[in-house]
Amino acid sequence: MPRIANLFFTCVVCVTAAMILIAAGQTALRDSTHTGSDESHTVRDASVHVAQSESSASENSAAKTFPIIVRKPIGPPRIELAGTDPQGRSASVACSTCHSVRKPNLENVSAATLDEFHQGMTFEHGKIACYACHNPSDADTLHLADGASVAYEDVMTLCSQCHSKQAESFAHGAHGGMNGHWDLNVGPQMKNNCIDCHDPHAPAYPKMIVGFKPKDRFNEPTDPAEH
Amino acid sequence: MTDKPSLPIVENFSRRAAVKGGFATLGAAAFVAAVSPLRQAASDKSAAEFMQQHYTELSPEQKADVIARLEAETKQNYGAEVTIGDDRPIPGTKFVYAINLSVCNGNGNCVEACHKENNHDRSTNQSYIRVLEMPMGTMDMEQGTTTYTGAVPKDGKFYLPVQCQQCDEPPCVDVCPVKATWKEEDGIVVVDYNWCIGCRYCEAACPYHARRFNWKKPEVPAEEVNPDQSYLSNRIRPVGVVEKCTYCLHRTRRGKLPACLEACPTGARVFGNILDKDSNLRWILENKRVYILKEELGTKPAFFYYFD
Ligand code: SF4
Ligand code: SF4
């Protein structure tokens, strides 16, 4: 008896399996004829997509979205006049107001030898002459070692002639203060220029006074609670 | 990951289990003395806070609830409107810091900037940074002192700012009995201040003295509270827990520079993503001779010092 039951059961299973297989095969066939074109479409789309994301990735690493902005000094300095006019107004004048009518002394290296203007100025920048940086033929600009004139705004070009090590470090964010973003995909970064921190006439970084100190066990005999 | 918060006792992962264990091994009196600041902490702990799961086990909804609760508590206790973010590591970043010791003059502006940025206790002038005045010719930070005052730099000295080095092999993480502190994918070692039991093992384990303990409830006047906060970073910490520098993750994970770097008037500090081959950090590592502190300990700091 169990034998016949077994046989019968096997038959049922076989028939069911065959039905399922056939049905599945037909569906597959229908699908493949139907969606053939769709599929190729999807594939093409995907490749476009990949290409797009690749190009945006390379853009990100090559040209960052936000700039590094180096602060520029405001143009040529202006000289405040000591006296006032009959209406009591004070005035400031451009360097060239006086310097275009005075003969430059190319040898001068110190404020001590000046008999009229710029007296009492501290000058501690090696042994260079005033006209190593200031332009003798146009007092409202500076000039490079090769004589090319350079605007006051671009003073960093001038400094970098001698201080190339610092300029190189600066270019790699390893010299000079900054703020803003480390990630230029998110926002810009602002950097100081040379003369924000260094007085061009006495460039040694000034001494500072220590202000803030944490009150902890490294500083004081401390809090009894800590022992 | 974890589907539903289960009873935390099942794993030895809960502070409650650790507290119980502590009682069993130390004896009640010794343990109570050891964690005395904790008693004060426990008294102002809300029930919701005590029931909170470990940060890494919170679902997004639970996190949102916790953060809303913390914002409300800050409003209530400090009178300040703050937003607490849940800043996660940016994929493809590993943060590294470098300091140019030829340039640092020990003025301490970074120390103060950290104090303000990270909502430190005002009465103790707490900060995650210490600047050590060092004798020339050694990199042994134990020879430095922080007690110098007046005009800097002084002759014959250099200045060594020390803060958490975000070690790649952090001993502080290994010793935590409740896993309240761990290292994230961008290299930052963080603390879940709501999970920390204040045992201070990590403070003792850190060779750089970089961890700080909140002996008292931090005092910060409402108008001085920095409202841009993050859960794992500068939100006001409760009393009785340990805290540390997080490279200002509430800023740096949003693309900004750390507060100590922006405050540095000498430009000695450099921060960036070491995985970016064009980064400032990579240039320094390739072109300068860099030092790390206590190299022999094998902690592998993500913090470099150089001279130029
Ligand atoms: S410096 Fe100290 S606190 Fe920071 S990761 Fe290293 S051991 Fe931990
Ligand atoms: S004090 Fe440190 S070691 Fe102890 S629980 Fe807190 S984070 Fe972990």
Side-chain angles (χ1 to χ4, degrees), chain B residues 27-28 43 45 50 72 93 138 152 175 196 202 211 238 261 276 283 293:
Chain B
S43 64
K45 229 174 207 143
F50 195 72
T93 54
T138 177
V152 285
V175 298
C196 172
C202 55
R211 291 188 168 238
L261 185 148
D276 174 1
W283 185 82
L293 296 183

Side-chain angles (χ1 to χ4, degrees), chain A residues 64 169 172-174 176-183 186 205 207-210 212-216 218-219 225-226, chain B residues 95 105 115 123-125 130 146-148 150-153 209 252 254-257 262 265 270 280 283 288 306:
Chain A
K64 302 265 164 83
S169 291
H172 291 96
M178 62 173 82
N179 57 41
H181 295 78
W182 67 266
D183 186 351
V186 180
Y205 198 83
K207 292 239 178 209
M208 291 178 72
I209 303 292
V210 187
F212 188 89
K213 287 268 180 187
K215 299 176 197 141
D216 69 6
F218 288 80
N219 269 322
E226 225 170 308
Chain B
F95 290 131
N105 66 7
H115 175 75
S123 67
T124 51
N125 279 9
R130 259 183 217 111
T146 62
T147 47
Y148 67 93
V152 285
H209 314 297
T252 51
R254 300 175 196 170
K256 297 206 282 184
L257 290 161
E262 289 198 341
V270 187
N280 298 339
W283 185 82
K288 307 280 181 188
Y306 66 102

